[in-house]
Amino acid sequence: MPSMDRQQEFVLRTLEERDIRFVRLWFTDVSGYLKAVAVAPAEIEAAFAEGIGFDGSAIEGFARVYESDMLAKPDPGTFQVMPAAKGSASDTARMFCDITLPDGSPAWADPRHVLRRTLAKAADMGFTFYTHPEVEFFLLKNLPADGSPPEPADTGGTSTSPRTTWPTTSGARRSSPWKRWASRWSSATTRSPPASRRSTCATPTRCRWPTTS
């Protein structure tokens, strides 16, 4: 068995010191849906060396039935103890995995390997890419216990979904900036700008038509 690196040793030591009972090995299919295999801490050392076997044909886009054997090899650099309920210690940790074939070669459909291949191609062309996950969330006033739809904190939206109503000091509703902008534009001209000058901005209130020399 190959010697462990310092990060692997840190993981094993933390599992013991924090009394972790379950380690979730995470990976995604080609559509981005999260998959997980839960193992005991005693299996992690072998997982670092050999991986954890699973049926790749059961995962969207990974493998056909006759080539279904695959291995999930945890990346110790992604190790994290999962949050627990307030006042109690967590007994679960997680790591993301690289998916390989039984011979140790990377699985062609593993999203982590796809990203590495793409970045390598970009580097060969002289480009440097920085990638990161996109975080999305919703702000709610409350979460009704009776199962009815939750109430949003405001009526705002993203840059592609502008407000439809805006509050006023008089208590009456007025037309949105989107509608006022559309009204001013239609009154100023009766034709659309030429294709070379059309804006592709998703929020017209923030767009400026490009000027030509």
Side-chain angles (χ1 to χ4, degrees), residues 47-149:
F48 284 145
E50 304 172 2
I52 299 294
F54 69 97
D55 181 6
S57 64
I59 307 300
E60 180 71 26
F62 265 21
R64 291 162 288 192
V65 174
Y66 60 84
E67 55 182 15
S68 60
D69 291 338
M70 287 190 168
L71 299 172
K73 301 194 72 172
D75 178 357
T78 64
F79 175 79
Q80 185 177 21
V81 176
M82 301 294 288
K86 187 175 181 180
S88 62
S90 175
D91 64 353
T92 305
R94 67 101 167 111
M95 281 183 284
F96 283 97
C97 296
D98 291 307
I99 306 303
T100 70
L101 302 178
D103 62 1
S105 60
W108 192 255
D110 175 22
R112 284 166 62 94
H113 182 55
V114 171
L115 178 59
R116 293 190 186 102
R117 293 202 315 265
T118 303
L119 295 180
K121 289 181 181 179
D124 292 340
M125 299 171 64
F127 295 100
T128 300
F129 275 74
Y130 295 92
T131 64
H132 61 86
E134 179 183 4
V135 179
E136 296 185 359
F137 60 92
F138 299 91
L139 295 178
L140 306 174
K141 285 184 177 180
N142 55 47
L143 189 62
D146 59 0
S148 58

